[in-house]
Amino acid sequence: MITSVPTPAIPEVVRAAERFHNLTPDELIAHALLNGEGQLADNGALMVDTGEFTGRSPEDRFIVKDAKTADTVWWGSVNIPFDPDKFDALHQKMLDYLTTRTVYTRYAYAGAHPDYRLTIQVVNTLAWHSLFCYNMFLRPSADEMAHFAPDFTIICIPEFRANPETDGTRSGNFAVLNMTKNVLLIGGTGYAGEMKKGIFSVLNFKLPVEQHTLSMHASANQGTAGVDGREGDTALFFGLSGTGKTTLSADPARLLIGDDEHGWADAGVFNFEGGCYAKVVNLTAEIEPQIFGAIRRGAILENTRLKPGTQTVDYTDISVTQNTRVSYPIYFINTAKEPSVGGHPKHIFFLTADSFGILPPISRLTPGQAMYHFISGYTAKVAGTEMGVKEPKATFSACFGAAFMPLHPTRYAEMLGARMQQFGANVWMINTGWTGGAYGTGHRMNLDYTRAMITAALNGELDPVPYENHPVFGVAVPQHCPNVPAEVLNPRATWADTAAYDEQATRLAEMFRKNFEQYAEFANDEIRAGGPVLSI
């Protein structure tokens, strides 16, 4: 018989026909298999499909507009207001729906530093969703569980669809945050990432407003302790999905603090999460050994497929989606730091996958340039990733995570700038995208070169080398880097047609300027001066 582990006496937030509390991973895997929610691959991972939605649905994410949020949230296409009365009615409909269902509840927390912790109660109708929450949120110890009191509740029912005409949603799929009642409602979607990113949005609101702590869409790692016993240096990696946050922070030579979401407080950097959520398209043991090795029993593979006639995962199969992913607890990475906290970062890396092939593979930024590029949050999509995309498409997401940021981007930028200045962090921009031409003509940046450049920056090996300012973007480009051919460092020199490079560079710079117009009135002179210089 499948049993549950002891839980504290916390008032129930739902009534259900059957309830399972804090099941172990093995118990949840057994439930998922019995329920027909997935199957096991030969590496032991649970393979599941997320259904109609294989990613987040930004147009269906709402925040309740009330006295607490009306004058603090940056309302618009990212943060869409929702009526409080409509929320209450939708909430009640979901509670009524659960009275005849089986639910899985889990107690967890977000925030590895105890002073900045959000305790969470999650209600799921899918066993694998509860396993996802076990992996992705932090797991209370027995002592912590004895005194557990939830601050926030998630109710996630994929099979429950809203009625837009009566419920106030755009479609049957929805994620609605109530910052006053501390509840997140999710329905109509099986994509588990909505829960993780929902809590990220909560922390992006609460930490800056209530605790003057910067919340960041960034991964983090730390150097190992030196011979003198001092703690190693901390590094941050900002970037949108697909730019390399998980890959580049999972460095076998350094300790992993976390791969996606962090806070920067007066005490230093701390992970929000207890796990990793990595893309697995074209994954190999040779290129990404740590992630590959973490895919074992307890891990969840989303929307992957097996090689015909086997139970072996085919990571090249994108027949369902290019957004194939794996979720696993952070302790599956043998270099994970416990607890997931670090000091103040000495180096900050902005990652961009520039499919135009224009930006240097590594460049050093001034404080003004750092703020400009942080607010810009640039990367580029390639042809074929979305319907209608036939050539590289610039994508700007403020703070490298606008979809999760309830406050105005300048609020986060000012906090980052203040902390950078206070602790003297170096800021670098890393192009993990294309070189030698745009997508379709050039080729993807060699991952070994990218790692070598980051290692050189971390080790101080780029401090004494000569630099030249990029003629269009003005950033300082090192002219030498250990283990990287010199010609790779200058993107213009890698193009066969330098006139075509100049034309494309000017075009990209204009895209930056056009995007930044929406923030210019809130930016100071130093930030505005950090943009492209357009000397070509």
Side-chain angles (χ1 to χ4, degrees):
M1 178 179 178
I2 297 174
T3 60
S4 62
V5 297
T7 57
I10 297 173
E12 302 295 353
V13 296
V14 301
R15 291 181 295 112
E18 187 176 26
R19 187 194 319 272
F20 295 94
H21 292 283
N22 276 7
L23 293 186
T24 66
D26 281 339
E27 290 172 331
L28 289 167
I29 291 169
H31 272 261
L33 296 175
L34 286 172
N35 297 343
E37 297 174 15
Q39 61 179 315
L40 292 179
D42 60 8
N43 56 17
L46 178 66
M47 289 180 57
V48 300
D49 282 355
T50 63
E52 177 185 357
F53 295 92
T54 58
R56 293 180 303 101
S57 181
E59 293 182 341
D60 296 299
R61 171 192 174 273
F62 306 90
I63 298 176
V64 173
K65 188 173 185 178
D66 56 19
K68 187 173 186 177
T69 59
D71 297 326
T72 49
V73 169
W74 188 40
W75 302 106
S77 59
V78 171
N79 299 306
I80 306 169
F82 200 82
D83 182 80
D85 292 337
K86 292 288 187 182
F87 175 89
D88 291 342
L90 182 60
H91 188 188
Q92 189 59 53
K93 284 177 67 174
M94 296 180 76
L95 294 178
D96 293 342
Y97 179 89
L98 290 175
T99 58
T100 59
R101 300 302 193 277
T102 296
V103 301
Y104 300 87
T105 57
R106 175 159 301 284
Y107 304 127
Y109 62 89
H113 194 292
D115 292 344
Y116 308 94
R117 180 169 295 172
L118 182 74
T119 53
I120 306 165
Q121 183 171 202
V122 191
V123 178
N124 297 116
T125 54
L126 293 177
W128 81 262
H129 272 190
S130 188
L131 179 60
F132 179 90
C133 292
Y134 172 88
N135 287 350
M136 298 310 304
F137 297 129
L138 288 152
R139 298 156 286 276
S141 66
D143 289 342
E144 291 168 334
M145 189 65 78
H147 306 285
F148 193 88
D151 301 315
F152 210 92
T153 297
I154 303 172
I155 300 177
C156 180
I157 314 174
E159 65 275 19
F160 178 94
R161 295 185 64 81
N163 181 341
E165 293 184 3
T166 59
D167 296 327
T169 59
R170 187 186 70 93
S171 66
N173 167 49
F174 60 90
V176 188
L177 276 167
N178 191 317
M179 300 294 190
T180 299
K181 295 190 174 181
N182 293 324
V183 175
L184 167 61
L185 304 178
I186 301 172
T189 174
Y191 184 66
E194 291 283 13
M195 294 183 286
K196 156 188 157 65
K197 290 304 185 185
I199 291 300
F200 185 36
S201 297
V202 172
L203 292 169
N204 287 334
F205 179 84
K206 289 182 175 292
L207 288 178
V209 171
E210 299 173 5
Q211 293 187 275
H212 193 63
T213 294
L214 175 63
S215 53
M216 306 175 292
H217 189 212
S219 60
N221 66 20
Q222 182 179 297
T224 55
V227 293
D228 56 3
R230 288 185 298 177
E231 187 177 68
D233 63 297
T234 297
L236 292 174
F237 301 80
F238 286 88
L240 297 169
S241 177
T243 56
K245 289 196 311 301
T246 299
T247 297
L248 294 171
S249 57
D251 183 342
R254 294 172 64 85
L255 300 176
L256 177 65
I257 298 173
D259 82 325
D260 196 39
E261 302 169 4
H262 290 78
W264 189 353
D266 292 339
V269 168
F270 61 96
N271 192 357
F272 289 166
E273 302 183 299
C276 301
Y277 196 35
K279 285 194 171 185
V280 295
V281 59
N282 297 323
L283 180 71
T284 66
E286 293 73 26
I287 295 176
E288 299 183 84
Q290 288 196 302
I291 297 173
F292 192 91
I295 305 178
R296 49 192 169 95
R297 186 172 179 84
I300 303 168
L301 285 165
E302 291 181 350
N303 301 312
T304 53
R305 289 294 178 262
L306 300 172
K307 295 178 180 178
T310 74
Q311 291 300 115
T312 301
V313 182
D314 182 356
Y315 295 109
T316 66
D317 190 330
I318 54 173
S319 58
V320 178
T321 177
Q322 291 198 3
N323 192 35
T324 52
R325 287 185 176 268
V326 63
S327 159
Y328 51 83
I330 195 169
Y331 60 78
F332 277 19
I333 298 291
N334 58 10
T335 57
K337 190 171 187 287
E338 179 61 37
S340 300
V341 298
H344 298 289
K346 294 182 178 179
H347 295 276
I348 297 172
F349 298 93
F350 293 165
L351 307 178
T352 176
D354 175 25
S355 58
F356 292 95
I358 297 302
L359 295 178
I362 184 169
S363 54
R364 191 170 59 191
L365 309 185
T366 66
Q369 289 169 340
M371 290 299 91
Y372 181 94
H373 285 279
F374 181 69
I375 292 175
S376 299
Y378 166 72
T379 191
K381 296 176 182 177
V382 300
T385 57
E386 289 185 359
M387 293 294 292
V389 179
K390 301 184 184 303
E391 60 181 12
K393 180 181 178 182
T395 299
F396 296 94
S397 183
C399 309
F400 296 99
F404 325 116
M405 303 294 181
L407 309 179
H408 193 282
T410 54
R411 181 80 173 267
Y412 305 101
E414 288 168 359
M415 293 186 74
L416 178 62
R419 295 216 177 274
M420 284 167 42
Q421 183 177 12
Q422 181 180 359
F423 298 105
N426 293 308
V427 183
W428 308 83
M429 185 162 59
I430 304 291
N431 177 15
T432 61
W434 272 255
T435 186
Y439 173 81
T441 301
H443 56 86
R444 194 76 188 256
M445 196 71 65
N446 184 300
L447 181 58
D448 288 339
Y449 292 163
T450 299
R451 285 177 168 147
M453 288 182 273
I454 290 174
T455 297
L458 291 170
N459 292 342
E461 294 172 292
L462 297 184
D463 293 346
V465 306
Y467 284 77
E468 290 186 6
N469 290 342
H470 189 273
V472 174
F473 285 89
V475 294
V477 182
Q479 299 303 291
H480 302 291
C481 179
N483 302 311
V484 179
E487 60 270 18
V488 172
L489 299 171
N490 181 355
R492 188 173 187 267
T494 66
W495 281 51
D497 185 346
T498 54
Y501 174 88
D502 295 343
E503 181 181 353
Q504 188 78 293
T506 301
R507 180 184 172 204
L508 179 60
E510 289 295 348
M511 293 180 193
F512 267 84
R513 287 192 167 183
K514 180 68 175 176
N515 172 73
F516 197 77
E517 288 175 359
Q518 62 187 309
Y519 311 115
E521 66 176 297
F522 301 99
N524 60 35
D525 291 342
E526 184 180 27
I527 295 174
R528 286 194 293 268
V533 295
L534 287 177
S535 64
I536 287 182

